[in-house]
Amino acid sequence: MLVAILKEARQDETRVALTPDAAKAVAGMGFSVAVESGAGLQAGASDEDYQAVGASISTKRGELLASADIFPVVNALPAGDQAQLKSGSVMVGFLRPLDEPAALEVAVQRGVTLFSMELVPRITRAQSMDALSSMATVAGYKAVIVAADHLPKLFPLLMTAAGTIPPAKVLVLGAGVAGLQAIATARRLGAVVEAYDVRAAAGEQVRSLGAKFIEVDLGGLQTEDKGGYATELSMEAMELGRRAIAKAARIADVVISTAQVPGRRAPLMIPAAVVEAMRPGSIIFDLAAPAGGNCEVTKPGETIVYHGVTVFGPVNLAAEMPVHASMLYSRNLSNFLQLILKKGELNINRADEIIAGSCVAFGGEIVNERVAAALHTAG
Ligand code: NAD
């Protein structure tokens, strides 16, 4: 059976689904691996690197699409590519099945089996396949580095003969995987950091990184689901959080916002009036931009200046660190592939919790209820 690693079609994509190391692991499971020439270049992997681990190189994308059995991808193949796939072939990657279900329809109709890395359940056994956490780690780090680069101030406290420079103040909203990495990075650069999250459990993690946790009394409200994710809050609870955020944002040099609720628009935490009250030259880095943004003035995919405050709304930040983002992603992906590839054959045990949770389509049908509902709504 043939595993094909193609060049990503998306313009802003620099990552590759499987690095040469991961390709070697897949070949070791008894598969042939073919790589579209140049697929790994932006992620630091040349065609020769792939050849060195036994993969073949091809410039004929159409032939790979029509002949391969398994397509590990970063982003879903575009519809034109999907139209060339074999029935029963497998595509696995960040397929955005809840955000853009219609973009998968051609593959579903052709009987392609689809697995979404976003839907891998966050259970202990699947931790090594948690690609969302991998990308959030990269994005949390990069957000702080970009913000520090653009801030017209130094981050650390400096005591010099010319006087003392106070440390930069960083406010982090949402202390999940990306937020915690942002806190750790900002602390390492010497900033004073405050953070807010609706999940009380986040408080201890924030404090353990040397940051202050902003406590908001939500009157014992249930703020997290069984999976440890935040739930959508009532208007009243959101307003209590917003008040605390407004106070902290006014004096912050950098706000990094990461708050998300799976399957919903990102919660609105920074109204325009709060941006207007921030000092000119301050920065908002809105990591929730792909889900609509935490800040009212965020423009997903753009960097704007609003009342002197620079507001970043990146939609694919992990792609700005392609080498390590690809390394982590391809390890997550090859760990997933080990579940469905056995002795050189596809072996899809749909009773397995991880396989069942992440499977979007099988045998020409959408098998995930949430995706079917999203498609219905979109249609
Ligand atoms: P996420 O990207 O969905 O959200 C980021 C953060 O925003 C979360 O901490 C969330 O609580 C917070 N948030 C949401 N709405 C908010 C609001 N209105 N105000 C303030 N904060 C708000 O989350 P994530 O980073 O992917 O992870 C969320 C949780 O899942 C964390 O507890 C994390 O440790 C846990 N997790 C578990 C596993 C596992 O394998 N068991 C893996 C990864 C993450």
Side-chain angles (χ1 to χ4, degrees):
M1 287 196 128
L2 181 64
V3 177
I5 305 168
L6 300 178
K7 267 197 224 169
E8 289 291 319
R10 194 173 146 163
Q11 282 288 311
D12 66 350
E13 194 52 77
T14 56
R15 293 167 292 178
V16 65
L18 293 184
T19 60
D21 275 353
K24 187 178 176 187
V26 170
M29 290 188 254
F31 292 84
S32 306
V33 180
V35 179
E36 184 180 7
S37 180
L41 268 187
Q42 294 188 82
S46 66
D47 289 352
E48 293 72 29
D49 293 332
Y50 284 104
Q51 277 169 324
V53 297
S56 61
I57 304 295
S58 168
T59 53
K60 300 195 171 92
R61 185 178 179 94
E63 274 179 19
L64 293 176
L65 286 165
S67 63
D69 303 284
I70 297 136
F71 295 90
V73 295
V74 180
N75 306 288
L77 294 170
D81 284 348
Q82 291 174 25
Q84 301 177 60
L85 302 178
K86 286 196 295 198
S87 168
S89 60
V90 171
M91 172 162 63
V92 49
F94 285 132
L95 306 187
R96 298 174 53 79
L98 297 171
D99 308 295
E100 289 183 85
L104 301 171
E105 268 181 320
V106 175
V108 176
Q109 279 157 15
R110 290 190 69 82
V112 178
T113 303
L114 302 176
F115 291 105
S116 153
M117 292 304 279
E118 296 96 325
L119 297 182
V120 168
R122 279 176 152 178
I123 56 174
T124 307
R125 187 164 64 89
Q127 263 179 1
S128 67
M129 306 164 205
D130 186 354
L132 283 181
S133 285
S134 295
M135 297 306 104
T137 300
V138 172
Y141 167 85
K142 183 72 175 176
V144 174
I145 300 300
V146 175
D149 187 31
H150 278 78
L151 188 71
K153 288 183 171 184
L154 295 163
F155 255 43
L157 167 84
L158 286 186
M159 289 162 124
T160 80
T164 299
I165 291 177
K169 291 194 178 71
V170 174
L171 171 64
V172 175
L173 304 177
V177 181
L180 291 172
Q181 186 56 238
I183 294 170
T185 306
R187 290 283 301 135
R188 268 184 239 130
L189 288 176
V192 169
V193 184
E194 284 192 301
Y196 172 65
D197 198 293
V198 278
R199 293 177 302 107
E204 201 177 313
Q205 291 169 311
V206 166
R207 283 187 284 267
S208 75
L209 292 170
K212 184 181 159 204
F213 188 63
I214 301 175
E215 305 273 358
V216 177
D217 185 0
L218 297 177
L221 190 79
Q222 181 67 32
T223 56
E224 81 185 69
D225 65 15
K226 283 194 294 261
Y229 279 112
T231 50
E232 205 169 25
L233 299 186
S234 64
M235 297 284 270
E236 293 77 24
M238 273 303 292
E239 196 44 44
L240 288 171
R242 274 197 211 110
R243 262 186 242 158
I245 292 163
K247 218 167 123 202
R250 214 171 293 136
I251 53 164
D253 297 300
V254 174
V255 179
I256 311 260
S257 69
T258 76
Q260 301 209 39
V261 177
R264 303 239 183 271
R265 192 210 177 279
L268 200 56
M269 303 170 82
I270 315 169
V274 171
V275 187
E276 287 161 24
M278 288 173 71
R279 273 192 300 257
S282 309
I283 286 173
I284 296 176
F285 206 100
D286 195 344
L287 280 174
N294 293 139
C295 174
E296 191 180 353
V297 304
T298 295
K299 291 223 169 11
E302 291 181 36
T303 301
I304 59 156
V305 178
Y306 181 84
H307 276 252
V309 177
T310 306
V311 184
F312 290 82
V315 288
N316 197 11
L317 194 59
E320 291 180 32
M321 288 256 136
V323 171
H324 280 149
S326 301
M327 191 192 95
L328 295 173
Y329 180 66
S330 66
R331 283 199 189 148
N332 296 139
L333 206 51
S334 57
N335 288 331
F336 180 86
L337 289 174
Q338 282 182 25
L339 270 188
I340 58 166
L341 306 181
K342 296 267 152 62
K343 296 187 186 133
E345 291 296 328
L346 266 170
N347 181 347
I348 300 174
N349 170 13
R350 292 185 55 211
D352 180 291
E353 188 180 0
I354 300 172
I355 292 176
S358 57
C359 190
V360 171
F362 192 88
E365 303 277 343
I366 292 195
V367 294
N368 180 295
E369 279 173 26
R370 285 164 67 207
V371 178
L375 192 60
H376 185 69
T377 314

